[in-house]
Amino acid sequence: MIQEIQIYNTLTRKKEVFEPLAAGKVGLYVCGPTVYGPPHLGHARSAITFDLLFRYLKQIGYQVRYVRNITDVGHLVADADEGEDKIAKQAKLDELEPMEVVQKYTNMYHQAMALLNLDSPSIEPRASGHIIEQIEEVKKILASGYAYESNGSVYFDVEKFASENEYGKLSGRKIEDLISNTRTLDGQSEKRSGLDFAIWKKAQPEHLMHWPSPWSEGFPGWHIECTAMSCKYLGETFDIHGGGMDLTFPHHEAEMAQSLAAHGKPAVRYWMHNNMITLNGQKMGKSLGNAISLEEFFSGNHPLLEKAYSPMTIRFFMLQAHYRSTLDFSNEALQASEKGLERLMKAVSKINSLPVSESSTIPVSEIAANCFAAMSDDLNSPIAIAGLFEGVKLINSVADGKSTISADDRDALNRLFHAFVFDIFGFKAENQLESGTSEVLSEVVDLLMKLRAEAKANKDWATSDKIRNELAAIGFDIKDGKEGVSWELKK
RNA sequence: GGUUCCUUAGCCGAGUGGUUAGGCGGCGGUCUGCAAAACCGUAUACGGCGGUUCGAAUCCGCCAGGAACCUCCA
């Protein structure tokens, strides 16, 4: 039996019970990155949000096909109409082939996502690999009468579409407002209205990326790729479409209109949007020049960063906030996440060695119910994490002998924590010792620990402190616990 | 300018009509040769002013401050 889950649908602006098109199966499409720059924190937020959805849906029993695209063609630069292909522009600056740029940043994206421990999507289609499909969509829209050709380019006729269909519902806009907002900007453009958007764009001679089409040598408009690829892999109508909130307009609004124009029915049943990462209260974004790349977070190599933050710290930081809230970046918040995650991970590794008793004072099923209820309420990961920390308190209490747990409950607790910590939240151990990188080093440090223990037994505090302090200077944490000494190498 | 949204303790962040969110930090304690770590306990709150209500951080109005989208964006 699959657990019921509620999802906030941007289209209706309320939480709705999720009912898949086909029982037990979910089609999920998420807008992936435009690969013309290194991946930053914002990319991670979107990717982690929908990774969480992907993982949770699988956990509660769904079979999910998760499609996340790579946009590697067709974006226009700021001057909207007559702009260059964004990727081509970057290519000239770097003196690289466009596809080389695409490859480079795609690799960087994959690498960062792997470090963040994201489950790979089921299919990761590239826009450049679906030019034919996109041309087919353009033909369908032309045939339906909602697009027109102009000087080798094809534009979607927004006003005509809006006169016969809903346009602006997703982003909460009224067509009249849009018209009055854009009409003044309308100059000598080949578009009939400033609202219209290109679904096929004729390439200027300096464009490096272009393909033949019935209308011109050119490239597809930005929005059409998602229509073509979601349709190809998930069908004309599918369950969930996700992406960053900043894509709601115009990208998703256009996509909605196009799909309806091309196929005669709505494509998406539930629209989900993650909110932005902010820096000093302002959106972090490449165009604002305040984006910190993931590589910089992992290395600590950025003026705003006090230290390096591991991928799991970033992941935990994100999941501590609800995906529909803005999340403000700060060193203090990140360091709090780092410590909180450490506490959680330590508790998980303790569960199996907890002493069992006849009876149990731990309300395991209650904790489990709370965690699942939170996640099923529009992916409320912060509440679920709070539930887990209730469990952490109890785990420590049993370890201290202040509470008792039965063997059955310990198993249940173990299953619960593994399901949430590893399978749903996707955390993994990052400690070097746990990943077993350097056996020889371990043995050497263990030897020093032994010498220190001997010195302590002889009350030779000078020697024992010297060993501790000098190892600390190298970067080792020496911890004297009740059950002996442990150590770890920081960084 | 238009549309939408936000304002919760030192920091980050849940909640959304009556019940402890949680994490980090602070403070107190346990442990320790000392310290650190670990663990336990604990205090501090709902931007301002009105209204609705038996009762509001939660609903409504006004004000202040901030943000997002309207152009490429996760």
Side-chain angles (χ1 to χ4, degrees):
Chain A
M1 176 68 194
I2 292 175
Q3 175 153 359
E4 182 176 291
I5 175 172
Q6 295 223 342
I7 284 177
Y8 181 88
N9 190 347
T10 307
L11 194 58
T12 56
R13 267 145 235 275
K14 57 183 187 224
K15 286 183 201 169
E16 296 174 0
V17 174
F18 174 69
E19 282 162 14
L21 208 52
K25 294 181 183 169
V26 180
L28 170 64
Y29 186 93
V30 174
C31 287
T34 307
V35 281
Y36 67 102
H40 57 74
L41 244 207
H43 292 107
R45 165 93 115 154
S46 175
I48 288 171
T49 296
F50 293 103
D51 186 53
L52 180 68
L53 177 66
F54 184 35
R55 286 167 175 271
Y56 189 64
L57 288 172
K58 286 191 287 186
Q59 182 72 29
I60 60 177
Y62 283 107
Q63 185 187 322
V64 187
R65 180 179 295 164
Y66 174 22
V67 181
R68 186 186 63 206
N69 67 296
I70 295 279
T71 295
D72 57 358
V73 286
H75 279 194
L76 301 177
V77 141
D79 303 300
D81 297 4
E82 316 333 312
E84 287 181 88
D85 186 315
K86 187 186 278 179
I87 286 163
K89 185 180 181 191
Q90 184 69 35
K92 281 180 225 164
L93 293 176
D94 288 357
E95 295 185 352
L96 292 168
E97 270 298 317
M99 274 317 213
E100 199 177 351
V101 175
V102 162
Q103 189 68 55
K104 176 180 158 188
Y105 291 121
T106 302
N107 290 347
M108 280 174 80
Y109 181 77
H110 284 151
Q111 201 172 10
M113 295 306 118
L115 285 168
L116 288 165
N117 203 27
L118 280 114
D119 272 2
S120 295
S122 323
I123 302 174
E124 193 174 48
R126 293 174 164 218
S128 63
H130 296 75
I131 301 297
I132 291 167
E133 288 84 349
Q134 294 179 73
I135 290 172
E136 289 307 307
E137 293 295 337
V138 173
K139 283 184 191 164
K140 284 182 208 163
I141 297 166
L142 277 168
S144 73
Y146 291 114
Y148 56 90
E149 188 186 342
S150 174
N151 192 28
S153 293
V154 182
Y155 292 98
F156 191 84
D157 191 335
V158 173
E159 286 185 48
K160 180 175 183 200
F161 179 84
S163 69
E164 294 157 25
N165 304 277
E166 269 187 313
Y167 182 85
K169 190 185 178 196
L170 183 68
S171 54
R173 263 148 244 257
K174 295 189 189 81
I175 188 74
E176 307 82 54
D177 295 345
L178 290 170
I179 291 167
S180 62
N181 251 337
T182 51
R183 195 155 265 167
T184 46
L185 305 173
D186 219 359
Q188 67 291 2
S189 170
E190 58 199 23
K191 294 197 276 184
R192 285 180 195 167
S193 155
L195 280 187
D196 296 349
F197 52 85
I199 51 182
W200 185 263
K201 185 81 181 153
K202 182 181 177 179
Q204 298 307 307
E206 65 271 24
H207 277 111
L208 299 174
M209 283 181 129
H210 48 78
W211 292 265
S213 80
W215 314 285
S216 64
E217 184 77 13
F219 52 92
W222 174 31
H223 316 301
I224 200 75
E225 65 179 76
C226 293
T227 297
M229 296 189 290
S230 63
C231 179
K232 173 159 183 171
Y233 299 113
L234 298 174
E236 290 185 349
T237 301
F238 59 95
D239 295 301
I240 304 172
H241 188 128
M245 246 175 212
D246 50 354
L247 297 179
T248 312
F249 190 89
H251 183 53
H252 290 159
E253 198 70 61
E255 216 184 302
M256 247 179 94
Q258 275 172 359
S259 300
L260 188 62
H263 308 136
K265 53 183 145 177
V268 179
R269 304 176 63 238
Y270 301 84
W271 284 94
M272 292 177 76
H273 292 98
N274 62 277
N275 214 136
M276 302 291 102
I277 299 284
T278 59
L279 179 57
N280 297 322
Q282 198 189 30
K283 175 181 165 181
M284 186 183 281
K286 188 179 162 65
S287 54
L288 293 164
N290 65 349
I292 306 177
S293 79
L294 289 166
E295 200 177 11
E296 286 163 341
F297 272 97
F298 301 157
S299 68
N301 186 23
H302 189 281
L304 286 172
L305 301 176
E306 287 168 10
K307 65 189 283 296
Y309 298 101
S310 75
M312 287 306 108
T313 299
I314 302 285
R315 192 167 178 120
F316 188 75
F317 173 63
M318 302 267 181
L319 295 178
Q320 268 189 304
H322 186 82
Y323 76 92
R324 282 193 287 117
S325 301
T326 55
L327 174 59
D328 199 55
F329 153 83
S330 72
N331 280 286
E332 212 177 347
L334 251 352
Q335 282 162 33
S337 293
E338 188 173 47
K339 293 192 178 162
L341 176 62
E342 198 180 342
R343 182 147 171 258
L344 178 64
M345 295 306 275
K346 276 184 182 152
V348 181
S349 63
K350 248 189 240 181
I351 298 175
N352 264 332
S353 52
L354 248 31
V356 293
S357 311
E358 286 295 306
S359 66
S360 197
T361 55
I362 305 293
V364 178
S365 56
E366 193 182 308
I367 295 171
N370 289 344
C371 289
F372 278 103
M375 285 301 292
S376 294
D377 181 14
D378 194 31
L379 299 184
N380 201 326
S381 55
I383 294 279
I385 287 175
L388 249 28
F389 273 104
E390 289 302 311
V392 168
K393 205 173 274 190
L394 295 169
I395 289 164
N396 289 328
S397 159
V398 173
D400 270 6
K402 288 172 185 158
S403 304
T404 59
I405 192 166
S406 66
D408 283 353
D409 273 357
R410 191 181 71 178
D411 285 347
L413 193 65
N414 202 30
R415 279 198 305 274
L416 175 70
F417 267 70
H418 276 260
F420 268 90
V421 172
F422 301 113
D423 299 337
I424 296 173
F425 291 144
F427 301 128
K428 63 178 181 188
E430 288 183 309
N431 190 302
Q432 296 201 13
L433 283 182
E434 288 169 53
S435 42
T437 38
S438 50
E439 265 180 54
V440 177
L441 179 66
S442 287
E443 286 172 23
V444 173
V445 180
D446 283 344
L447 174 64
L448 285 166
M449 289 301 104
K450 210 191 270 176
L451 292 175
R452 178 162 172 266
E454 283 170 19
K456 285 177 75 168
N458 296 330
K459 297 198 190 295
D460 179 2
W461 310 127
T463 303
S464 76
D465 288 355
K466 186 177 182 190
I467 293 172
R468 182 219 285 160
N469 295 339
E470 300 209 351
L471 278 174
I474 297 169
F476 289 91
D477 255 12
I478 312 301
K479 293 166 187 174
D480 293 332
K482 270 184 207 157
E483 292 93 34
V485 182
S486 65
W487 59 271
E488 63 182 325
L489 183 56
K490 290 284 183 191
K491 278 197 76 176

